Amino acid sequence: MSRLTSVSATAIAALIVLSACGDEEASVETASTNASTETTASTDTAEPTQDSESIAPASYECTDPLAGNPTEVLTYDLLVCTTLTLADSEGYATTSTVSGSGTSTLRVNTDPFTVEVTYPDGVTIIATETNAWVNEGDGVWQEGDATSDNYLVAQATQVLPTYRNAHNPAITTAQIPEGTTYTVEGTEVIDGVEYTILKGVFEDSGYTSEVTMWVGSDYHQLKSTTTSSSDGADPLTVETAYTEWDVAQDIEIPE
């Protein structure tokens, strides 16, 4: 597969898989539109418009919007809770399947914060607080360099801030339109745990995204499905599942 597989997967995994906020359609639109010029929404997200280190998650509080069997919940309230839960975990692993592009895997360890992403085309990126490396599928690790002419080498430097931003409610809730809601569709028991099924439909600039996610009482997202579409374009579907939750990930740092 082409390098664009890795590009699209980075943007979609970071912005839809982990955030699941009210502006997914804009994220998908950016990734799709910019892919031809080899820039992505993940790069935009990683720009230091807000310093994820300077905004303490402790300043946000989960209001437990699923309590009392509501029929709908505000996206902002829901996202604060899921983001805080994500940030409080020791680590996690996910799979993300994008229609027509295959499956990517993600592993995140939260202390020390380390990310490993493997894309369908065999590209792997590992990033720590201080360094990043990319393996283009040939077994050779190259150190990330934001000034490199090699797009993947440059892009590797954006992976860690992109995923770290997904742990900060100040960032994940920053662009949610006021009044945006998710509808409660019901519940489902999976592996002995009851999850609430939530669905949201969001429209912006001709794009429509339908998001369905399964959220536990502790606001852990078990899985989600996002389908985005626009006139004249084939729908794009992303299916994501957490394969490990609140488990420290042993990510081997390249020498």
Side-chain angles (χ1 to χ4, degrees):
M1 293 185 181
S2 72
R3 200 176 277 183
L4 295 183
T5 302
S6 304
V7 173
S8 299
T10 299
I12 293 167
L15 299 175
I16 296 179
V17 173
L18 299 180
S19 297
C21 61
D23 63 339
E24 286 96 349
E25 67 280 6
S27 303
V28 173
E29 176 184 3
T30 304
S32 176
T33 301
N34 289 347
S36 61
T37 58
E38 292 201 332
T39 58
T40 78
S42 63
T43 302
D44 296 336
T45 302
E47 290 178 357
T49 53
Q50 299 187 66
D51 185 348
S52 59
E53 290 300 315
S54 67
I55 305 172
S59 63
Y60 288 79
E61 181 180 355
C62 177
T63 59
D64 197 11
L66 294 178
N69 300 316
T71 57
E72 66 177 18
V73 297
L74 288 173
T75 300
Y76 178 91
D77 293 341
L78 179 66
L79 194 54
V80 167
C81 292
T82 57
T83 302
L84 290 175
T85 298
L86 192 71
D88 192 49
S89 69
E90 291 190 14
Y92 49 88
T94 72
T95 61
S96 180
T97 302
V98 182
S99 56
S101 297
T103 300
S104 298
T105 60
L106 165 71
R107 294 200 297 155
V108 174
N109 190 66
T110 54
D111 187 18
F113 202 92
T114 311
V115 177
E116 178 189 81
V117 193
T118 301
Y119 303 104
D121 51 7
V123 172
T124 299
I125 293 176
I126 292 177
T128 67
E129 295 282 8
T130 56
N131 294 94
W133 299 264
V134 59
N135 182 331
E136 297 189 47
D138 55 6
V140 177
W141 288 100
Q142 304 174 71
E143 190 166 355
D145 179 357
T147 65
S148 174
D149 292 335
N150 181 318
Y151 177 73
L152 286 175
V153 172
Q155 184 67 14
T157 64
Q158 301 300 323
V159 165
L160 186 133
T162 295
Y163 285 99
R164 178 178 280 288
N165 285 349
H167 289 220
N168 190 332
I171 294 175
T172 60
T173 63
Q175 296 181 359
I176 298 174
E178 185 176 355
T180 301
T181 62
Y182 274 87
T183 301
V184 177
E185 298 289 301
T187 61
E188 182 178 1
V189 176
I190 301 175
D191 295 331
V193 178
E194 184 176 77
Y195 292 90
T196 299
I197 306 171
L198 298 131
K199 180 175 291 186
V201 178
F202 310 103
E203 296 183 357
D204 181 67
S205 302
Y207 280 79
T208 300
S209 288
E210 182 175 291
V211 184
T212 304
M213 57 181 173
W214 285 251
V215 179
S217 60
D218 59 356
Y219 293 94
H220 156 47
Q221 295 183 60
L222 176 69
K223 60 181 180 177
S224 64
T225 300
T226 301
T227 299
S228 297
S229 60
S230 65
D231 293 339
D234 293 334
L236 177 69
T237 298
V238 183
E239 295 181 351
T240 298
Y242 283 82
T243 56
E244 288 191 299
W245 175 252
D246 201 16
V247 176
Q249 300 295 304
D250 183 14
I251 301 173
E252 185 175 351
I253 307 302
E255 296 182 359

PDB file of all heavy atoms in Angstrom, residues 177-199:
ATOM      1  N   PRO A 177     -19.419  21.907  18.986  1.00  0.00           N
ATOM      2  CA  PRO A 177     -20.503  22.907  18.878  1.00  0.00           C
ATOM      3  C   PRO A 177     -21.422  22.853  20.093  1.00  0.00           C
ATOM      4  O   PRO A 177     -21.751  21.770  20.594  1.00  0.00           O
ATOM      5  CB  PRO A 177     -21.242  22.484  17.606  1.00  0.00           C
ATOM      6  CG  PRO A 177     -20.241  21.695  16.826  1.00  0.00           C
ATOM      7  CD  PRO A 177     -19.400  20.991  17.842  1.00  0.00           C
ATOM      8  N   GLU A 178     -21.834  23.987  20.582  1.00  0.00           N
ATOM      9  CA  GLU A 178     -22.694  24.051  21.749  1.00  0.00           C
ATOM     10  C   GLU A 178     -24.013  23.319  21.494  1.00  0.00           C
ATOM     11  O   GLU A 178     -24.628  23.452  20.444  1.00  0.00           O
ATOM     12  CB  GLU A 178     -22.991  25.509  22.103  1.00  0.00           C
ATOM     13  CG  GLU A 178     -23.786  25.687  23.391  1.00  0.00           C
ATOM     14  CD  GLU A 178     -23.977  27.142  23.748  1.00  0.00           C
ATOM     15  OE1 GLU A 178     -23.408  28.015  23.029  1.00  0.00           O
ATOM     16  OE2 GLU A 178     -24.702  27.413  24.727  1.00  0.00           O
ATOM     17  N   GLY A 179     -24.405  22.514  22.459  1.00  0.00           N
ATOM     18  CA  GLY A 179     -25.666  21.787  22.360  1.00  0.00           C
ATOM     19  C   GLY A 179     -25.578  20.455  21.643  1.00  0.00           C
ATOM     20  O   GLY A 179     -26.578  19.744  21.531  1.00  0.00           O
ATOM     21  N   THR A 180     -24.401  20.078  21.143  1.00  0.00           N
ATOM     22  CA  THR A 180     -24.240  18.792  20.468  1.00  0.00           C
ATOM     23  C   THR A 180     -24.521  17.654  21.446  1.00  0.00           C
ATOM     24  O   THR A 180     -24.046  17.672  22.579  1.00  0.00           O
ATOM     25  CB  THR A 180     -22.812  18.653  19.923  1.00  0.00           C
ATOM     26  OG1 THR A 180     -22.557  19.727  19.017  1.00  0.00           O
ATOM     27  CG2 THR A 180     -22.635  17.334  19.186  1.00  0.00           C
ATOM     28  N   THR A 181     -25.287  16.661  21.000  1.00  0.00           N
ATOM     29  CA  THR A 181     -25.666  15.568  21.892  1.00  0.00           C
ATOM     30  C   THR A 181     -25.464  14.201  21.238  1.00  0.00           C
ATOM     31  O   THR A 181     -25.380  14.074  20.022  1.00  0.00           O
ATOM     32  CB  THR A 181     -27.153  15.672  22.303  1.00  0.00           C
ATOM     33  OG1 THR A 181     -27.973  15.561  21.126  1.00  0.00           O
ATOM     34  CG2 THR A 181     -27.435  16.969  23.030  1.00  0.00           C
ATOM     35  N   TYR A 182     -25.389  13.199  22.106  1.00  0.00           N
ATOM     36  CA  TYR A 182     -25.468  11.797  21.704  1.00  0.00           C
ATOM     37  C   TYR A 182     -26.786  11.236  22.222  1.00  0.00           C
ATOM     38  O   TYR A 182     -27.218  11.560  23.343  1.00  0.00           O
ATOM     39  CB  TYR A 182     -24.320  10.979  22.311  1.00  0.00           C
ATOM     40  CG  TYR A 182     -23.039  10.995  21.513  1.00  0.00           C
ATOM     41  CD1 TYR A 182     -22.102  12.010  21.695  1.00  0.00           C
ATOM     42  CD2 TYR A 182     -22.770  10.001  20.587  1.00  0.00           C
ATOM     43  CE1 TYR A 182     -20.923  12.025  20.971  1.00  0.00           C
ATOM     44  CE2 TYR A 182     -21.592  10.003  19.861  1.00  0.00           C
ATOM     45  CZ  TYR A 182     -20.670  11.012  20.050  1.00  0.00           C
ATOM     46  OH  TYR A 182     -19.507  11.034  19.326  1.00  0.00           O
ATOM     47  N   THR A 183     -27.417  10.392  21.423  1.00  0.00           N
ATOM     48  CA  THR A 183     -28.646   9.717  21.828  1.00  0.00           C
ATOM     49  C   THR A 183     -28.312   8.354  22.420  1.00  0.00           C
ATOM     50  O   THR A 183     -27.472   7.632  21.882  1.00  0.00           O
ATOM     51  CB  THR A 183     -29.593   9.532  20.626  1.00  0.00           C
ATOM     52  OG1 THR A 183     -29.905  10.811  20.081  1.00  0.00           O
ATOM     53  CG2 THR A 183     -30.869   8.820  21.042  1.00  0.00           C
ATOM     54  N   VAL A 184     -28.946   8.026  23.517  1.00  0.00           N
ATOM     55  CA  VAL A 184     -28.756   6.709  24.137  1.00  0.00           C
ATOM     56  C   VAL A 184     -29.629   5.704  23.402  1.00  0.00           C
ATOM     57  O   VAL A 184     -30.862   5.823  23.388  1.00  0.00           O
ATOM     58  CB  VAL A 184     -29.103   6.740  25.636  1.00  0.00           C
ATOM     59  CG1 VAL A 184     -28.959   5.341  26.239  1.00  0.00           C
ATOM     60  CG2 VAL A 184     -28.201   7.736  26.367  1.00  0.00           C
ATOM     61  N   GLU A 185     -28.987   4.721  22.769  1.00  0.00           N
ATOM     62  CA  GLU A 185     -29.699   3.726  21.962  1.00  0.00           C
ATOM     63  C   GLU A 185     -30.087   2.482  22.755  1.00  0.00           C
ATOM     64  O   GLU A 185     -30.892   1.675  22.291  1.00  0.00           O
ATOM     65  CB  GLU A 185     -28.828   3.306  20.777  1.00  0.00           C
ATOM     66  CG  GLU A 185     -28.498   4.439  19.821  1.00  0.00           C
ATOM     67  CD  GLU A 185     -29.704   4.864  19.020  1.00  0.00           C
ATOM     68  OE1 GLU A 185     -30.270   4.017  18.297  1.00  0.00           O
ATOM     69  OE2 GLU A 185     -30.103   6.042  19.132  1.00  0.00           O
ATOM     70  N   GLY A 186     -29.499   2.303  23.933  1.00  0.00           N
ATOM     71  CA  GLY A 186     -29.753   1.107  24.723  1.00  0.00           C
ATOM     72  C   GLY A 186     -28.490   0.654  25.413  1.00  0.00           C
ATOM     73  O   GLY A 186     -27.526   1.419  25.552  1.00  0.00           O
ATOM     74  N   THR A 187     -28.488  -0.597  25.842  1.00  0.00           N
ATOM     75  CA  THR A 187     -27.319  -1.164  26.510  1.00  0.00           C
ATOM     76  C   THR A 187     -27.018  -2.538  25.922  1.00  0.00           C
ATOM     77  O   THR A 187     -27.876  -3.171  25.300  1.00  0.00           O
ATOM     78  CB  THR A 187     -27.533  -1.296  28.028  1.00  0.00           C
ATOM     79  OG1 THR A 187     -28.646  -2.176  28.270  1.00  0.00           O
ATOM     80  CG2 THR A 187     -27.796   0.050  28.669  1.00  0.00           C
ATOM     81  N   GLU A 188     -25.798  -2.986  26.145  1.00  0.00           N
ATOM     82  CA  GLU A 188     -25.390  -4.324  25.705  1.00  0.00           C
ATOM     83  C   GLU A 188     -24.370  -4.869  26.696  1.00  0.00           C
ATOM     84  O   GLU A 188     -23.448  -4.149  27.112  1.00  0.00           O
ATOM     85  CB  GLU A 188     -24.785  -4.286  24.304  1.00  0.00           C
ATOM     86  CG  GLU A 188     -24.387  -5.645  23.764  1.00  0.00           C
ATOM     87  CD  GLU A 188     -23.831  -5.598  22.353  1.00  0.00           C
ATOM     88  OE1 GLU A 188     -23.741  -4.489  21.785  1.00  0.00           O
ATOM     89  OE2 GLU A 188     -23.476  -6.679  21.813  1.00  0.00           O
ATOM     90  N   VAL A 189     -24.563  -6.131  27.087  1.00  0.00           N
ATOM     91  CA  VAL A 189     -23.623  -6.783  27.988  1.00  0.00           C
ATOM     92  C   VAL A 189     -22.591  -7.530  27.150  1.00  0.00           C
ATOM     93  O   VAL A 189     -22.935  -8.396  26.336  1.00  0.00           O
ATOM     94  CB  VAL A 189     -24.338  -7.753  28.947  1.00  0.00           C
ATOM     95  CG1 VAL A 189     -23.318  -8.495  29.816  1.00  0.00           C
ATOM     96  CG2 VAL A 189     -25.327  -7.000  29.825  1.00  0.00           C
ATOM     97  N   ILE A 190     -21.324  -7.187  27.313  1.00  0.00           N
ATOM     98  CA  ILE A 190     -20.225  -7.805  26.577  1.00  0.00           C
ATOM     99  C   ILE A 190     -19.191  -8.286  27.585  1.00  0.00           C
ATOM    100  O   ILE A 190     -18.694  -7.493  28.397  1.00  0.00           O
ATOM    101  CB  ILE A 190     -19.584  -6.805  25.591  1.00  0.00           C
ATOM    102  CG1 ILE A 190     -20.631  -6.303  24.594  1.00  0.00           C
ATOM    103  CG2 ILE A 190     -18.412  -7.455  24.857  1.00  0.00           C
ATOM    104  CD1 ILE A 190     -20.122  -5.213  23.668  1.00  0.00           C
ATOM    105  N   ASP A 191     -18.907  -9.578  27.552  1.00  0.00           N
ATOM    106  CA  ASP A 191     -17.959 -10.190  28.502  1.00  0.00           C
ATOM    107  C   ASP A 191     -18.312  -9.849  29.944  1.00  0.00           C
ATOM    108  O   ASP A 191     -17.435  -9.560  30.778  1.00  0.00           O
ATOM    109  CB  ASP A 191     -16.528  -9.744  28.190  1.00  0.00           C
ATOM    110  CG  ASP A 191     -16.032 -10.247  26.842  1.00  0.00           C
ATOM    111  OD1 ASP A 191     -16.499 -11.324  26.413  1.00  0.00           O
ATOM    112  OD2 ASP A 191     -15.190  -9.575  26.228  1.00  0.00           O
ATOM    113  N   GLY A 192     -19.604  -9.870  30.243  1.00  0.00           N
ATOM    114  CA  GLY A 192     -20.064  -9.658  31.608  1.00  0.00           C
ATOM    115  C   GLY A 192     -20.151  -8.213  32.049  1.00  0.00           C
ATOM    116  O   GLY A 192     -20.506  -7.938  33.198  1.00  0.00           O
ATOM    117  N   VAL A 193     -19.843  -7.273  31.156  1.00  0.00           N
ATOM    118  CA  VAL A 193     -19.887  -5.848  31.488  1.00  0.00           C
ATOM    119  C   VAL A 193     -20.974  -5.177  30.666  1.00  0.00           C
ATOM    120  O   VAL A 193     -21.076  -5.400  29.461  1.00  0.00           O
ATOM    121  CB  VAL A 193     -18.526  -5.174  31.219  1.00  0.00           C
ATOM    122  CG1 VAL A 193     -18.600  -3.678  31.527  1.00  0.00           C
ATOM    123  CG2 VAL A 193     -17.426  -5.838  32.032  1.00  0.00           C
ATOM    124  N   GLU A 194     -21.785  -4.356  31.327  1.00  0.00           N
ATOM    125  CA  GLU A 194     -22.840  -3.640  30.615  1.00  0.00           C
ATOM    126  C   GLU A 194     -22.314  -2.328  30.050  1.00  0.00           C
ATOM    127  O   GLU A 194     -21.733  -1.520  30.774  1.00  0.00           O
ATOM    128  CB  GLU A 194     -24.017  -3.362  31.539  1.00  0.00           C
ATOM    129  CG  GLU A 194     -25.197  -2.706  30.827  1.00  0.00           C
ATOM    130  CD  GLU A 194     -26.405  -2.528  31.717  1.00  0.00           C
ATOM    131  OE1 GLU A 194     -26.382  -1.591  32.538  1.00  0.00           O
ATOM    132  OE2 GLU A 194     -27.360  -3.319  31.587  1.00  0.00           O
ATOM    133  N   TYR A 195     -22.533  -2.132  28.767  1.00  0.00           N
ATOM    134  CA  TYR A 195     -22.101  -0.905  28.095  1.00  0.00           C
ATOM    135  C   TYR A 195     -23.326  -0.165  27.569  1.00  0.00           C
ATOM    136  O   TYR A 195     -24.280  -0.780  27.080  1.00  0.00           O
ATOM    137  CB  TYR A 195     -21.164  -1.223  26.924  1.00  0.00           C
ATOM    138  CG  TYR A 195     -19.831  -1.791  27.371  1.00  0.00           C
ATOM    139  CD1 TYR A 195     -19.664  -3.165  27.511  1.00  0.00           C
ATOM    140  CD2 TYR A 195     -18.763  -0.956  27.662  1.00  0.00           C
ATOM    141  CE1 TYR A 195     -18.454  -3.689  27.929  1.00  0.00           C
ATOM    142  CE2 TYR A 195     -17.551  -1.472  28.085  1.00  0.00           C
ATOM    143  CZ  TYR A 195     -17.402  -2.838  28.213  1.00  0.00           C
ATOM    144  OH  TYR A 195     -16.204  -3.361  28.631  1.00  0.00           O
ATOM    145  N   THR A 196     -23.267   1.166  27.662  1.00  0.00           N
ATOM    146  CA  THR A 196     -24.300   2.001  27.069  1.00  0.00           C
ATOM    147  C   THR A 196     -23.938   2.283  25.623  1.00  0.00           C
ATOM    148  O   THR A 196     -22.795   2.627  25.322  1.00  0.00           O
ATOM    149  CB  THR A 196     -24.423   3.333  27.832  1.00  0.00           C
ATOM    150  OG1 THR A 196     -24.781   3.058  29.198  1.00  0.00           O
ATOM    151  CG2 THR A 196     -25.484   4.224  27.204  1.00  0.00           C
ATOM    152  N   ILE A 197     -24.907   2.116  24.731  1.00  0.00           N
ATOM    153  CA  ILE A 197     -24.689   2.371  23.304  1.00  0.00           C
ATOM    154  C   ILE A 197     -25.170   3.780  22.987  1.00  0.00           C
ATOM    155  O   ILE A 197     -26.332   4.120  23.235  1.00  0.00           O
ATOM    156  CB  ILE A 197     -25.440   1.343  22.433  1.00  0.00           C
ATOM    157  CG1 ILE A 197     -25.058  -0.084  22.840  1.00  0.00           C
ATOM    158  CG2 ILE A 197     -25.133   1.574  20.955  1.00  0.00           C
ATOM    159  CD1 ILE A 197     -25.912  -1.156  22.194  1.00  0.00           C
ATOM    160  N   LEU A 198     -24.272   4.597  22.474  1.00  0.00           N
ATOM    161  CA  LEU A 198     -24.594   5.993  22.170  1.00  0.00           C
ATOM    162  C   LEU A 198     -24.386   6.262  20.701  1.00  0.00           C
ATOM    163  O   LEU A 198     -23.455   5.746  20.084  1.00  0.00           O
ATOM    164  CB  LEU A 198     -23.698   6.925  22.993  1.00  0.00           C
ATOM    165  CG  LEU A 198     -23.859   6.798  24.508  1.00  0.00           C
ATOM    166  CD1 LEU A 198     -22.514   6.664  25.169  1.00  0.00           C
ATOM    167  CD2 LEU A 198     -24.591   8.008  25.056  1.00  0.00           C
ATOM    168  N   LYS A 199     -25.279   7.077  20.143  1.00  0.00           N
ATOM    169  CA  LYS A 199     -25.172   7.413  18.720  1.00  0.00           C
ATOM    170  C   LYS A 199     -25.307   8.917  18.540  1.00  0.00           C
ATOM    171  O   LYS A 199     -26.167   9.563  19.125  1.00  0.00           O
ATOM    172  CB  LYS A 199     -26.240   6.698  17.901  1.00  0.00           C
ATOM    173  CG  LYS A 199     -26.197   7.013  16.394  1.00  0.00           C
ATOM    174  CD  LYS A 199     -27.201   6.178  15.622  1.00  0.00           C
ATOM    175  CE  LYS A 199     -26.822   4.717  15.586  1.00  0.00           C
ATOM    176  NZ  LYS A 199     -27.722   3.918  14.708  1.00  0.00           N
TER     177      LYS A 199
END
